[in-house]
Amino acid sequence: MERIEKLIDNLPPMDLMRSEKMTLVQLIIPVESAHRAISYLGELGLLQFRDLNSERSPFQRTFVNQVKRCGEMSRKLRFFKDQISKAGLLSSVHPVVEPDLELEELEIQLAEHEHELIEMNSNSEKLRVTYNELLEFKLVLQKACGFLLPSSNHAVAEERELTENIYSNDDYVETASLLEQETRPADQSGLRFISGIICKSKALRFERMLFRATRGNMLFNQAPAGEEIMDPLSAEMVEKTVFVVHFSGEQARTKILKICEAFGANCYPVPDDISKQRQITREVSSHLSELETTLDAGIRHRNKALTSIGYHLTQWTSMVRREKAVYDTLNMLNFDVTKKCLVGEGWCPIFAKAQIQEALQRATFDSSSQVGIIFHVMDAVESPPTYFRTNHFTNAYQEIVDAYGVARYQEANPAVYTVVTFPFLFAVMFGDWGHGICLLLGALVLIAREGRLSTQKLGSFMEMLFGGRYVLLLMSLFSIYCGLIYNEFFSVPFHIFGGSAYKCRDVTCSDAKSAGLIKFRDPYPFGVDPSWRGSRSELPFLNSLKMKMSILLGVAQMNLGIILSYFNARFFRSSLDIRYQFVPQMIFLNSLFGYLSLLIIIKWCTGSQADLYHVMIYMFLSPTDDLGENELFWGQRPLQIVLLLLALVAVPWMLFPKPFILKKLHSERFQGRTYGLLGSSEFDLDVEPDSARDHHEEFNFSEVFVHQMIHSIEFVLGAVSNTASYLRLWALSLAHSELSTVFYEKVLLLAWGYDNIVIRLIGLAVFAFATAFILLMMETLSAFLHALRLHWVEFQNKFYHGDGYKFKPFSFALITDDDD
């Protein structure tokens, strides 16, 4: 045993198996070099600062004014970005790199650009409003005159009343705003009219309201404007309708004008004289052309200014984000008593100490500081953060594990094994090498376009798919492998590795599906023999194979989890966990389900017809009875009795010793005895992951005992339920195979049986749709989720605590758009 332990100790450390060793450091930084030092550390990205001002609100911190300035500059940059987007311009793909700007210089530049843009927008908006009014007036003149032309049968009095209702050209020229112009009454009792324009969507409600307000004593004429007009508020093109309302009386006029105002209708005066109409139309057209020229010139000038800003926008945004991040970090530091130095604390990996010291020395030199930055290691009471160095390939698997819980500091990392076991268990449920090839092509496309996609903003689903591209790659490769074992290509078997080991009983092969085939040569060299396909015993054979394989894989993975708990206990020097958790758990699991796995392998190797259900059931009900024809090897019955007794002994072994030993050690420690014993590697309570190390002062035996009892009951019941849970491998594999068979036989082959090209094409389309959306999307997601559950619950609960916290260093590379 000692030799094995020495061999284990001498093994080289495995990458990703344990998190990086961390240390707590303290920085004492002179004020004049603080900003540069924090900037260099942000570029390095290997130090996580602790907030030493957590009791203060953000507004009580030292550098609150600088943070506010950076926030204001971020707002201006977002304003520029919105303006560029609204103008339909694109930010420069290759931005101009300016020499380093000071924050004050950038702040002045941004303020100038914002003031210029706001002024241009204001002028453009005023011109646009005037342009819209003139355009509406022109449309009203064109359309409303058709309703107002006098005819031969009009009374002279009516014509006089209508004529007196018109403004002269001088009145029009002197009027300041077209919207303020109204029809002028000439007679308090004659017929009058009001003309204007309204949104087409409001015209019907507008007419009804006028009818009700005047009790029907009005005449409403309307006509489409014929042109869309830009709404100055929404900047959208809106369809409008020109209207003319004839009425009589001052009271009706007042009501109509109020209704026009409520509905947002613009009223314009229309002269009855054709010569005046033409004159006003010419003047309006002249003003419109001038305004259009002015607007175009303004838009070109504005776009030129925005393009100039766009060249520098990326660099400015990056600079402001970095500055804000630096000042946010400086707010986490404390001033010393002399107010001349900033004191900071943080976590860093041990391997990064030299790099951090070099960056701090460079900051001191570059800032021409007379005093160097002091960097020294501190003793830590709290648990350090967890940091794994991952790459593009391993990062996705680490994220799968972290979604369950971040590993405790230096705890065994399940991601090392998840890299292989996760895609393999997925493939056991998804095994079809045709479908696997489709997934492989998708994964290769994502990997081939990795450089371009990594710089683009993707949707939530596409981002998730791209992040798991290497998971998808291994899932597809293992699916091809398992599909070759199952001998399924879109549910169709192929003689890839030679001929079948079975043949028909006669030449006609008429009883192949009833009496079955006969074996005439050695077994098929790799995977399932293609002759099983369509035979009468296909389903029983494949069910038996996949069910037993699921149990073997499940027991193997659960044993791996318990073995990892041994390595955890050994690493943390917790002999209690080894003696009173690891050993009884291995005994209990393998006395029952390890023995079942052994029976499965012996049955496969010997070809025995023993009923394993009967063996396992009567192992508990009648352990002393003779096994009869279900006996697989000599001495099986006494071995079953021994294994059953071991399983029964393992339960109290897990439950009772550990709480009582912890109580004894605690009482001895606080009675002043056996300090040397407590300081030894065997009984070091400070490093025991499951002991009451946080309760030295207040050791609660009942709490520890209940915790151990829950843990023991959970393991005993979980050994049964977790083994049964692995049968999902068999169930989903069967479901995937049967679905694929149904789509192939009942859709594709059925359609191909018709001698009609249209039916065949429809059948092919339905088969392709079902394969893509049901088998390649829904089944992939289903198998992925079940593989996730097997790892999170059945595998990781044997050894993984997952109650740590991530190492989040201050790094400019980790700043996102949400940090503005």
Side-chain angles (χ1 to χ4, degrees):
M1 186 68 180
E2 290 181 0
R3 289 181 179 178
I4 296 174
E5 290 180 353
K6 287 181 180 178
L7 179 64
I8 292 172
D9 290 337
N10 292 330
L11 287 174
M14 185 190 300
D15 285 344
L16 275 182
M17 183 62 185
R18 305 273 175 199
S19 62
E20 295 290 338
K21 291 183 178 179
M22 310 293 288
T23 182
L24 182 64
V25 298
Q26 186 180 55
L27 308 176
I28 301 176
I29 312 171
V31 173
E32 63 270 15
S33 57
H35 184 279
R36 197 177 295 270
I38 299 298
S39 297
Y40 287 174
L41 290 175
E43 291 171 359
L44 188 62
L46 288 171
L47 181 63
Q48 174 180 327
F49 286 92
R50 297 171 67 184
D51 190 358
L52 303 180
N53 300 312
S54 56
E55 72 282 355
R56 295 186 182 181
S57 71
F59 301 102
Q60 295 174 328
R61 305 204 178 196
T62 309
F63 299 95
V64 62
N65 290 330
Q66 287 84 345
V67 172
K68 286 180 179 178
R69 286 168 59 194
C70 291
E72 180 64 17
M73 285 189 280
S74 295
R75 182 196 62 77
K76 291 173 183 175
L77 289 168
R78 288 194 299 271
F79 170 69
F80 297 153
K81 188 176 180 180
D82 291 341
Q83 292 296 308
I84 290 172
S85 177
K86 287 179 181 177
L89 304 174
L90 296 175
S91 297
S92 178
V93 181
H94 304 289
V96 176
V97 179
E98 290 184 346
D100 289 339
L101 281 172
E102 291 295 331
L103 193 64
E104 290 75 12
E105 295 176 12
L106 179 59
E107 190 174 17
I108 293 169
Q109 284 191 28
L110 295 181
E112 290 174 353
H113 287 304
E114 185 189 31
H115 178 72
E116 183 185 5
L117 269 178
I118 289 174
E119 192 172 350
M120 285 192 288
N121 288 343
S122 176
N123 293 336
S124 177
E125 187 177 347
K126 290 177 183 176
L127 289 172
R128 174 59 64 181
V129 170
T130 306
Y131 179 83
N132 283 351
E133 290 177 356
L134 287 172
L135 182 58
E136 288 180 351
F137 190 25
K138 179 183 174 183
L139 294 173
V140 170
L141 285 170
Q142 291 174 350
K143 300 292 181 180
C145 292
F147 305 130
L148 302 175
L149 284 176
S151 56
S152 57
N153 56 357
H154 279 179
V156 177
E158 287 183 350
E159 291 183 13
R160 189 182 305 116
E161 287 293 336
L162 291 173
T163 305
E164 290 172 352
N165 200 32
I166 301 166
Y167 282 119
S168 66
N169 187 45
D170 294 336
D171 290 331
Y172 164 72
V173 173
E174 291 172 359
T175 303
S177 172
L178 293 170
L179 290 175
E180 296 174 359
Q181 296 177 7
E182 301 175 8
T183 54
R184 182 175 54 188
D187 193 332
Q188 297 298 322
S189 60
L191 184 65
R192 313 160 184 223
F193 72 90
I194 292 176
S195 58
I197 192 166
I198 191 172
C199 290
K200 186 178 179 181
S201 58
K202 299 179 181 178
L204 184 59
R205 287 180 291 137
F206 178 64
E207 183 180 0
R208 286 177 181 170
M209 184 60 71
L210 289 174
F211 185 83
R212 291 170 182 169
T214 60
R215 299 183 180 181
N217 296 317
M218 65 92 190
L219 177 63
F220 186 83
N221 293 314
Q222 62 176 331
E227 287 185 36
E228 290 187 340
I229 300 172
M230 181 182 289
D231 186 355
L233 296 178
S234 63
E236 295 179 356
M237 303 303 290
V238 180
E239 291 187 14
K240 296 208 171 185
T241 299
V242 176
F243 66 88
V244 176
V245 185
H246 296 275
F247 62 92
S248 178
E250 182 65 23
Q251 191 176 3
R253 173 180 172 277
T254 305
K255 288 182 180 179
I256 291 170
L257 287 176
K258 286 184 178 179
I259 293 170
C260 289
E261 184 181 353
F263 277 83
N266 299 328
C267 299
Y268 299 98
V270 178
D272 207 15
D273 189 359
I274 296 177
S275 61
K276 287 184 179 181
Q277 290 176 12
R278 289 173 180 172
Q279 182 183 354
I280 294 176
T281 303
R282 282 195 300 271
E283 291 178 3
V284 170
S285 300
S286 174
H287 284 314
L288 280 173
S289 61
E290 291 172 4
L291 277 175
E292 198 167 346
T293 305
T294 308
L295 278 171
D296 289 343
I299 289 172
R300 283 196 300 271
H301 179 62
R302 181 170 171 273
N303 288 348
K304 185 178 179 181
L306 289 173
T307 304
S308 174
I309 292 171
Y311 285 130
H312 308 284
L313 189 62
T314 303
Q315 183 190 2
W316 290 347
T317 303
S318 175
M319 180 182 172
V320 171
R321 283 179 185 166
R322 289 161 69 108
E323 289 293 326
K324 185 173 183 294
V326 167
Y327 285 117
D328 281 334
T329 305
L330 284 170
N331 276 332
M332 299 169 73
L333 276 57
N334 257 340
F335 269 108
D336 70 337
V337 290
T338 64
K339 298 293 182 182
K340 293 180 180 179
C341 292
L342 287 165
V343 179
E345 295 177 5
W347 295 100
C348 74
I350 288 179
F351 72 84
K353 283 165 62 179
Q355 300 176 54
I356 292 172
Q357 286 175 320
E358 190 272 332
L360 295 176
Q361 290 171 5
R362 192 155 42 89
T364 302
F365 179 78
D366 291 346
S367 58
S368 303
S369 175
Q370 301 298 319
V371 183
I373 299 172
I374 300 173
F375 173 90
H376 65 91
V377 178
M378 299 173 62
D379 293 329
V381 178
E382 63 186 272
S383 177
T386 302
Y387 175 48
F388 295 105
R389 280 189 282 181
T390 58
N391 52 33
H392 289 303
F393 182 83
T394 56
N395 182 64
Y397 296 97
Q398 189 64 56
E399 289 295 326
I400 287 174
V401 173
D402 289 347
Y404 174 81
V406 179
R408 180 180 289 180
Y409 177 63
Q410 293 271 284
E411 183 181 17
N413 184 16
V416 177
Y417 307 94
T418 302
V419 170
V420 174
T421 58
F422 184 86
F424 178 70
L425 291 185
F426 168 87
V428 170
M429 295 179 274
F430 192 76
D432 186 303
W433 62 280
H435 297 152
I437 289 173
C438 295
L439 289 184
L440 179 61
L441 292 175
L444 291 177
V445 168
L446 291 174
I447 293 171
R449 303 178 64 185
E450 180 176 342
R452 183 165 47 175
L453 290 174
S454 60
T455 59
Q456 295 179 1
K457 194 171 182 65
L458 307 172
S460 56
F461 176 76
M462 193 63 192
E463 187 176 357
M464 179 183 65
L465 201 63
F466 176 70
R469 59 196 178 280
Y470 290 107
V471 179
L472 192 63
L473 175 68
L474 285 192
M475 281 168 25
S476 61
L477 292 175
F478 278 111
S479 296
I480 294 172
Y481 170 72
C482 287
L484 290 172
I485 291 178
Y486 297 158
N487 204 344
E488 290 187 10
F489 178 83
F490 295 102
S491 80
V492 181
F494 284 89
H495 294 76
I496 303 173
F497 302 101
S500 172
Y502 299 90
K503 66 176 182 180
C504 296
R505 298 174 183 272
D506 53 30
V507 181
T508 61
C509 210
S510 57
D511 57 353
K513 300 293 175 64
S514 55
L517 306 173
I518 57 172
K519 188 173 181 179
F520 74 102
R521 64 162 75 168
D522 292 336
Y524 193 68
F526 184 84
V528 175
D529 195 308
S531 294
W532 284 104
R533 177 74 178 187
S535 65
R536 62 187 178 88
S537 54
E538 176 193 9
L539 206 55
F541 168 74
L542 291 179
N543 276 346
S544 175
L545 169 70
K546 292 180 179 180
M547 181 172 63
K548 292 180 173 64
M549 182 180 68
S550 300
I551 292 174
L552 292 177
L553 292 174
V555 172
Q557 191 175 31
M558 288 190 291
N559 270 295
L560 174 62
I562 298 174
I563 291 169
L564 286 176
S565 73
Y566 164 77
F567 284 103
N568 265 343
R570 182 172 177 76
F571 181 83
F572 292 114
R573 295 183 175 86
S574 175
S575 59
L576 282 179
D577 287 339
I578 295 175
R579 295 174 185 172
Y580 304 111
Q581 280 190 199
F582 166 72
V583 174
Q585 284 179 0
M586 286 294 288
I587 291 173
F588 183 84
L589 182 67
N590 290 294
S591 295
L592 302 179
F593 300 104
Y595 173 63
L596 174 61
S597 302
L598 177 67
L599 294 182
I600 289 172
I601 294 171
I602 293 174
K603 182 176 179 179
W604 277 351
C605 294
T606 60
S608 170
Q609 298 297 316
D611 185 358
L612 299 186
Y613 293 112
H614 183 278
V615 172
M616 292 304 296
I617 290 171
Y618 282 91
M619 177 180 173
F620 293 93
L621 296 180
S622 305
T624 57
D625 287 0
D626 187 22
L627 295 172
E629 60 181 12
N630 290 319
E631 186 171 358
L632 287 164
F633 55 90
W634 180 83
Q636 183 178 352
R637 186 173 55 151
L639 176 63
Q640 288 186 174
I641 294 173
V642 171
L643 291 176
L644 190 60
L645 291 174
L646 284 174
L648 292 175
V649 169
V651 177
W653 190 351
M654 273 187 283
L655 176 59
F656 294 109
K658 186 177 174 181
F660 286 99
I661 291 174
L662 286 174
K663 181 181 180 182
K664 179 173 178 288
L665 291 174
H666 182 270
S667 61
E668 288 177 351
R669 177 174 182 176
F670 285 95
Q671 287 174 8
R673 300 198 305 269
T674 64
Y675 278 95
L677 178 65
L678 286 171
S680 68
S681 61
E682 285 194 2
F683 299 99
D684 190 358
L685 293 179
D686 290 335
V687 294
E688 288 183 12
D690 288 326
S691 68
R693 63 177 183 275
D694 294 329
H695 305 280
H696 293 324
E697 302 299 333
E698 299 178 5
F699 182 82
N700 191 332
F701 173 74
S702 60
E703 184 179 334
V704 174
F705 185 81
V706 168
H707 175 77
Q708 188 65 25
M709 181 172 64
I710 292 171
H711 188 274
S712 302
I713 293 172
E714 184 183 8
F715 179 81
V716 171
L717 296 179
V720 180
S721 64
N722 292 352
T723 306
S725 182
Y726 276 94
L727 293 177
R728 72 184 67 237
L729 298 173
W730 156 50
L732 265 80
S733 174
L734 176 66
H736 185 83
S737 176
E738 291 301 311
L739 267 176
S740 186
T741 303
V742 166
F743 291 138
Y744 175 70
E745 292 182 352
K746 303 301 181 184
V747 176
L748 191 62
L749 291 186
L750 188 65
W752 230 250
Y754 292 91
D755 191 14
N756 188 317
I757 187 65
V758 176
I759 295 178
R760 289 185 175 184
L761 288 175
I762 292 173
L764 186 62
V766 173
F767 175 76
F769 178 84
T771 301
F773 288 94
I774 297 178
L775 296 176
L776 289 180
M777 289 184 67
M778 293 177 61
E779 283 285 304
T780 299
L781 183 61
S782 173
F784 182 91
L785 293 175
H786 282 283
L788 201 63
R789 184 243 152 78
L790 290 177
H791 280 78
W792 281 358
V793 179
E794 278 69 30
F795 173 52
Q796 291 178 191
N797 73 350
K798 302 292 186 293
F799 68 98
Y800 188 62
H801 293 91
D803 57 356
Y805 63 101
K806 264 188 178 181
F807 175 60
K808 296 179 180 178
F810 170 59
S811 173
F812 292 145
L814 301 179
I815 298 175
T816 61
D817 295 344
D818 299 332
D819 296 329
D820 284 350

